[in-house]
Amino acid sequence: TGPMSSECLGNLLRVTLSAEYFEDKYLSFSVVDQFGIAWELDEAMASQCGYTVTYSNWSNIEFRASALSCHSRLEKDVFTVTIQIKTSHTPDMKNAATHLKSASCHYDPWSPRELLCESNYMEVSVRREVPQTVKDFIQDEPEDWTLAFPEAKAGEASIWQIVFHQPEEKKALLVSDAWSAGYGLNTTDTRVLLRIPYTAVQIQLVEVDLFLQAQGITFSAVRSSTFYKQRWMILVVDTAVACPVDGVDYTNKTIIWTVPKYIQPLSAGATSFKDVLVEAGVDLHKLSAKEMASRKYVLSNDLNAITMKIPIGAEGGYYKTSVSSGQHGAKYTINLFLEHQWEDNKWGLTKHTIIKEIETPFEQIELAITNNSNLSVRLINVTVGMFLPDVELVNLTIEGATVAVPEAVQHGYLTYEIRYANGSKAYVIQVPFDAPSIKKEYLRPDMRAYTMNVTLAFITHPTSETFAVPVITVSTVKDAVLPRARGFCDGRNLHLIITRGNVDQNWLPFISDWHLTPEAAQKYNYSLRDNGTHLAISVPFLSSHVNYEDFHTSGIKASLHLTLKDGITLANRRDFSISCRFSPSDLIQCLPNGTVVITAVKLAGIADLDTSLLVLRDRQCKPSLLTEKTATFKFNVNTCGTSRKFNSTTMTYENSVLYFRPGSDTPVYQLKFVCSYAIKQTVDVRYESKKNPPPSIKPGFGSLALSMKLFKGESYSDPYQELEYPVVKYLREALYFEVELLQPEDARLELNLDDCWATNSQSQDSLPQWPILINGCENSKDSYRTVYHEVNNSLRVKFPQHLKRFEVRMFTFVQGTTLLQE
């Protein structure tokens, strides 16, 4: 009970430290002697003095002490051991807490010779009251004890010596030298003790043969004699010891442990043997035959060997986590012990106790990852397990960043542990669907997939092995909101306005497999606006990415198709389109000077049409401007095979845009167009007269000489000459006018223009009229407003204030949709 509990187990004392109390703490062990001095243990001192510290049942710490350990107090078959344990939260053991534990155990009777095989040392103790003479040793074959006698005789009185017998030599060590070499020697009133760490130099590996078996069992063995002089006697004690190194096999999920009965280094000089007792158990607890049968253990005592068979996973052992090449797995561990007592004609009774911790080979374990996500509260809930109690989750790797478990909450990840009655446990990972690290993917019209991709890092206790478990879970939810669109057209553009959903954040707009980026839209004079919630696209009617489906006198059917594609896979996700009819008048211009500008469009039904091969009736007339889907012709009505018809009021010109496949005289494409010019026309205009305001009196009177000229360019350097009139201009082409005050040449005068208007004839008073300047300002109702140009001094311009220059865009008068022309 409490943090520490003790138990007497024959000639061993065991103190168990509670894992719950001592976990996550640094420990220091010391042994307190009879004078109250604490001797801190390290591995070397523990194996020399008869102490063992090990882990059992996952994280429980076990301390064992031999009855004849260095600082135990032995009185009348009762040995007492006191240990001191310091615990701290830091490796430098600052602010350490101290725990003392003292326990006494009764052990009786002692056999004449007792052998103990612990996990970190071998121990032999023999009775002192049974000294053997030199003569006895000389008779022990095949050992030559006579060489040991001079070494013992040469030693000083009461100084122990130990002689190690090896095949090539015999080596004698004084007690002090033996201690320095790591050997443990001790004597009590009744016994002589030798303790040898498994790392000692004098250890030999001896193979003990088994009857009818090809391979023997290997033992760590030391043949030694301990000498001392007492009064007139030389006492010589045989302190040979041997412990099995191997002898464990794994067959059909069963552990098979074999120990030979007759071990040559322990049987030198004996000629008769008799089994007295064979007992076995787990964790130093002896098991009865009934208990063994209930656990399906099998203990066999044959002529030459003792064999234990333990099913892997049986009661008494436990699994502990193991890591191999980064993979999570487990090993089954069981701490067996065997006690074999026999009598021979040399020693009488010998008790041989072997403690054997057996660990099975690594076996990989597949972990279960269970997705228990709660769709109603939009929470990913994943359970990872099962794990043994010796595993701890230490950190998570989220989108390449590794964070400790407490810090994972800041990323939306909550982790907690579930413990089960059998000691195993699992870890639960919870994260909201909307956490930034959760990948959201559109699956089908109403479904989205939420993917959690996190790597969990674990550590094992007490071995500090690490392994990682990638956890990838996908949860599908019917919560997809797809983008929707509405479309409309105005006189010159097709418009699509897309309202975004919750699945298209990374979808890209494409028109005819052409990625519509802001830069590409600007290049083609398209409009592209995206505010995060809406994507608005406007494309001119005549453009490369508009499809023309049919052509009638009622209009041209044009359509714009837009596809939203996945930004990673470029898979088509959503298609939108808008179709409208546009007036055919947008394709034709019938200019007053007889020039016709006609644009033919490629119809979607003629996929192989090459716009560069479009012609007029006169096949020598070819396009002057080409795009992939349009061809523009510019010609005079008296050319290119144009026909002409008259009636009383109208002159009509007809032609056709044609497309012929190679080798054929039958056109597969024909666009007929007509230009009509009015021969005689009367226009009714409503007006009312207004009385002119009374003239204002201004200082100065005189005659002004003015001129107005039309120039060919913005430089105002080259005016049109009289022979060049009439001047032919296309709609929206610039006209550059200059008005100049010719007389008088008075620098004090400045010319200001008040009103300027255009008429449909040479008469300035004729109707209709259109104002170009009103009160010296441009007409605000003009689609293309008048632009003034600055006048500077030059060789031609003496007084810049006597000139006014302005630019007007070419236009024509219409009534409804009819061109007014005389």
Side-chain angles (χ1 to χ4, degrees):
T1 60
M4 293 184 287
S5 60
S6 61
E7 191 175 11
C8 297
L9 301 164
N11 59 349
L12 290 171
L13 165 68
R14 176 166 63 197
V15 177
T16 302
L17 281 62
S18 167
E20 293 182 358
Y21 183 83
F22 288 99
E23 67 180 352
D24 299 328
K25 295 177 183 176
Y26 294 90
L27 303 181
S28 168
F29 286 87
S30 299
V31 182
V32 181
D33 64 15
Q34 59 183 338
F35 304 107
I37 299 173
W39 300 82
E40 186 171 355
L41 288 181
D42 56 20
E43 290 185 9
M45 181 179 175
S47 59
Q48 185 177 27
C49 281
Y51 303 110
T52 303
V53 178
T54 186
Y55 290 85
S56 65
N57 288 335
W58 301 298
S59 295
N60 284 333
I61 302 171
E62 191 173 291
F63 171 88
R64 295 195 296 268
S66 167
L68 297 176
S69 56
C70 290
H71 302 294
S72 66
R73 299 183 295 281
L74 184 62
E75 296 178 1
K76 296 181 180 180
D77 298 325
V78 175
F79 65 94
T80 301
V81 177
T82 301
I83 63 171
Q84 173 184 278
I85 301 172
K86 291 184 177 181
T87 62
S88 174
H89 291 285
T90 58
D92 57 10
M93 301 304 290
K94 286 185 177 179
N95 302 317
T98 301
H99 306 266
L100 279 176
K101 181 70 175 179
S102 183
S104 298
C105 295
H106 179 270
Y107 180 61
D108 185 60
W110 289 83
S111 298
R113 177 171 65 164
E114 295 202 357
L115 304 163
L116 174 62
C117 298
E118 252 287 11
S119 59
N120 58 332
Y121 63 85
M122 303 184 294
E123 181 181 285
V124 55
S125 70
V126 298
R127 284 183 183 166
R128 280 181 57 176
E129 61 264 29
V130 191
Q132 299 182 13
T133 63
V134 176
K135 180 178 178 181
D136 294 330
F137 282 91
I138 295 174
Q139 293 173 353
D140 288 342
E141 295 296 338
E143 312 293 343
D144 184 5
W145 292 89
T146 57
L147 294 176
F149 178 70
E151 297 172 359
K153 186 176 181 181
E156 298 181 12
S158 302
I159 300 300
W160 287 78
Q161 281 188 340
I162 183 168
V163 177
F164 294 100
H165 298 260
Q166 293 181 305
E168 65 278 3
E169 64 175 350
K170 294 181 176 64
K171 183 176 180 62
L173 292 177
L174 295 175
V175 171
S176 58
D177 295 331
W179 269 101
S180 297
Y183 298 98
L185 298 97
N186 197 7
T187 180
T188 68
D189 293 341
T190 59
R191 302 191 75 78
V192 174
L193 167 83
L194 172 64
R195 188 177 297 109
I196 304 170
Y198 286 110
T199 56
V201 175
Q202 306 301 331
I203 284 183
Q204 304 172 52
L205 295 179
V206 178
E207 187 170 297
V208 178
D209 295 329
L210 288 175
F211 182 67
L212 296 179
Q213 289 196 15
Q215 187 174 356
I217 307 298
T218 302
F219 276 72
S220 290
V222 172
R223 289 297 314 278
S224 61
S225 302
T226 303
F227 295 78
Y228 67 95
K229 291 194 299 183
Q230 185 173 332
R231 296 186 180 180
W232 298 281
M233 291 189 298
I234 297 176
L235 300 180
V236 184
V237 181
D238 181 356
T239 47
V241 65
C243 291
V245 174
D246 53 20
V248 179
D249 290 316
Y250 308 96
T251 305
N252 297 327
K253 298 289 185 180
T254 301
I255 300 170
I256 302 174
W257 180 30
T258 303
V259 179
K261 284 176 139 184
Y262 306 111
I263 305 160
Q264 195 277 331
L266 305 180
S267 306
T271 57
S272 62
F273 300 91
K274 177 186 176 183
D275 265 344
V276 175
L277 180 68
V278 173
E279 290 184 313
V282 176
D283 292 330
L284 296 175
H285 287 286
K286 296 178 182 179
L287 297 177
S288 65
K290 183 178 180 180
E291 289 173 318
M292 286 194 182
S294 69
R295 300 184 181 193
K296 298 184 179 179
Y297 295 0
V298 176
L299 177 63
S300 302
N301 184 7
D302 300 326
L303 181 63
N304 297 305
I306 302 168
T307 303
M308 283 193 75
K309 294 182 179 180
I310 309 292
I312 295 177
E315 179 186 353
Y318 65 97
Y319 284 98
K320 64 180 180 181
T321 304
S322 182
V323 180
S324 177
S325 301
Q327 297 298 312
H328 167 261
K331 296 179 179 180
Y332 175 74
T333 300
I334 189 166
N335 195 16
L336 299 176
F337 89 97
L338 176 68
E339 183 180 302
H340 180 205
Q341 297 185 32
W342 73 87
E343 289 181 346
D344 58 41
N345 59 348
K346 176 182 175 181
W347 283 101
L349 185 64
T350 295
K351 180 193 289 186
H352 193 187
T353 302
I354 303 171
I355 299 173
K356 186 72 171 178
E357 184 175 354
I358 296 175
E359 185 179 271
T360 61
F362 173 85
E363 184 176 352
Q364 186 174 345
I365 295 177
E366 294 294 332
L367 292 169
I369 299 175
T370 308
N371 188 350
N372 301 311
S373 296
N374 190 330
L375 306 185
S376 61
V377 297
R378 299 182 61 78
L379 185 69
I380 295 175
N381 186 311
V382 177
T383 303
V384 183
M386 299 294 230
F387 295 102
L388 295 172
D390 56 356
V391 169
E392 179 188 3
L393 175 64
V394 289
N395 59 53
L396 297 83
T397 300
I398 306 165
E399 293 187 308
T402 300
V403 296
V405 170
E407 300 169 4
V409 178
Q410 301 173 13
H411 297 262
Y413 287 76
L414 174 66
T415 64
Y416 61 90
E417 189 180 279
I418 301 175
R419 291 185 177 268
Y420 299 96
N422 62 358
S424 62
K425 62 183 177 181
Y427 284 93
V428 176
I429 315 297
Q430 292 182 342
V431 59
F433 280 176
D434 299 317
S437 62
I438 300 302
K439 178 184 175 184
K440 303 164 187 67
E441 184 179 10
Y442 169 65
L443 294 180
R444 49 187 183 272
D446 60 345
M447 300 292 288
R448 276 201 297 178
Y450 293 82
T451 302
M452 180 184 75
N453 188 343
V454 62
T455 299
L456 309 180
F458 297 88
I459 190 170
T460 64
H461 298 293
T463 55
S464 296
E465 295 179 298
T466 59
F467 64 94
V469 179
V471 179
I472 302 175
T473 62
V474 179
S475 302
T476 56
V477 186
K478 289 186 177 182
D479 68 347
V481 178
L482 295 178
R484 61 187 188 277
R486 63 183 180 89
F488 62 94
C489 298
D490 55 24
R492 295 188 175 275
N493 299 280
L494 298 96
H495 304 275
L496 272 175
I497 300 177
I498 299 171
T499 303
R500 292 195 176 276
N502 61 10
V503 297
D504 55 320
Q505 289 78 11
N506 298 317
W507 293 2
L508 305 176
F510 279 77
I511 299 178
S512 302
D513 290 328
W514 173 72
H515 184 197
L516 184 58
T517 63
E519 296 76 18
Q522 186 177 10
K523 175 182 176 182
Y524 286 92
N525 200 27
Y526 297 171
S527 173
L528 177 66
R529 301 181 304 278
D530 190 350
N531 65 2
T533 60
H534 293 81
L535 177 68
I537 300 164
S538 299
V539 176
F541 157 61
L542 290 176
S543 67
S544 299
H545 299 96
V546 171
N547 294 324
Y548 306 99
E549 299 178 7
D550 60 41
F551 199 121
H552 296 287
T553 55
S554 61
I556 307 165
K557 186 178 181 181
S559 61
L560 174 67
H561 297 275
L562 182 134
T563 300
L564 294 179
K565 295 189 176 186
D566 189 284
I568 299 175
T569 65
L570 294 183
N572 289 358
R573 293 301 191 190
R574 195 80 165 147
D575 294 306
F576 300 106
S577 65
I578 174 67
S579 295
C580 297
R581 286 197 175 273
F582 290 85
S583 171
S585 62
D586 291 332
L587 301 181
I588 189 168
Q589 296 181 59
C590 301
L591 303 179
N593 63 357
T595 300
V596 178
V597 181
I598 179 71
T599 300
V601 295
K602 177 180 178 179
L603 295 180
I606 312 176
D608 59 346
L609 188 148
D610 183 350
T611 56
S612 67
L613 299 181
L614 288 169
V615 295
L616 298 177
R617 288 177 181 171
D618 182 350
R619 298 193 187 185
Q620 298 303 315
C621 294
K622 299 184 183 299
S624 59
L625 180 64
L626 286 171
T627 69
E628 182 184 350
K629 294 187 178 180
T630 65
T632 300
F633 297 84
K634 184 176 181 181
F635 63 99
N636 190 273
V637 293
N638 297 317
T639 62
C640 296
T642 307
S643 62
R644 181 173 57 186
K645 295 180 181 179
F646 295 90
N647 59 31
S648 58
T649 59
T650 306
M651 184 185 300
T652 303
Y653 295 89
E654 294 184 3
N655 207 327
S656 298
V657 180
L658 306 169
Y659 179 74
F660 301 90
R661 287 198 170 96
S664 174
D665 290 329
T666 302
V668 296
Y669 176 97
Q670 182 175 13
L671 174 62
K672 184 178 179 180
F673 58 92
V674 174
C675 277
S676 297
Y677 294 89
I679 297 174
K680 185 177 180 181
Q681 185 176 25
T682 301
V683 179
D684 294 328
V685 178
R686 292 187 62 185
Y687 71 96
E688 61 180 2
S689 62
K690 291 184 178 180
K691 293 182 179 180
N692 292 327
S696 59
I697 301 174
K698 298 180 180 179
F701 296 90
S703 298
L704 300 177
L706 299 171
S707 74
M708 184 166 66
K709 297 178 182 178
L710 178 63
F711 283 76
K712 296 180 180 179
E714 188 176 352
S715 64
Y716 289 87
S717 60
D718 187 10
Y720 283 97
Q721 303 303 317
E722 186 175 351
L723 294 176
E724 293 178 280
Y725 286 90
V727 175
V728 176
K729 290 286 185 179
Y730 301 123
L731 287 176
R732 293 192 291 277
E733 276 194 86
L735 302 173
Y736 299 94
F737 291 95
E738 180 185 89
V739 180
E740 183 179 7
L741 173 64
L742 299 177
Q743 292 294 333
E745 292 186 351
D746 187 344
R748 295 173 298 172
L749 296 177
E750 180 175 351
L751 176 66
N752 288 299
L753 302 181
D754 192 6
D755 293 320
C756 180
W757 65 93
T759 65
N760 199 25
S761 69
Q762 293 184 359
S763 172
Q764 65 182 26
D765 298 320
S766 66
L767 296 174
Q769 296 180 356
W770 184 257
I772 295 170
L773 295 173
I774 302 174
N775 296 325
C777 300
E778 64 269 25
N779 184 355
S780 61
K781 296 181 179 180
D782 258 343
S783 299
Y784 297 90
R785 296 188 181 183
T786 302
V787 178
Y788 278 102
H789 290 287
E790 185 179 1
V791 182
N792 298 310
N793 281 309
S794 67
L795 293 175
R796 190 174 70 83
V797 179
K798 183 178 179 181
F799 302 108
Q801 66 271 28
H802 289 185
L803 284 85
K804 284 291 183 288
R805 292 172 177 171
F806 57 94
E807 172 187 337
V808 178
R809 294 286 176 172
M810 184 64 188
F811 65 94
T812 186
F813 289 92
V814 295
Q815 182 174 11
T817 59
T818 304
L819 180 71
L820 298 182
Q821 177 69 34
E822 288 192 354

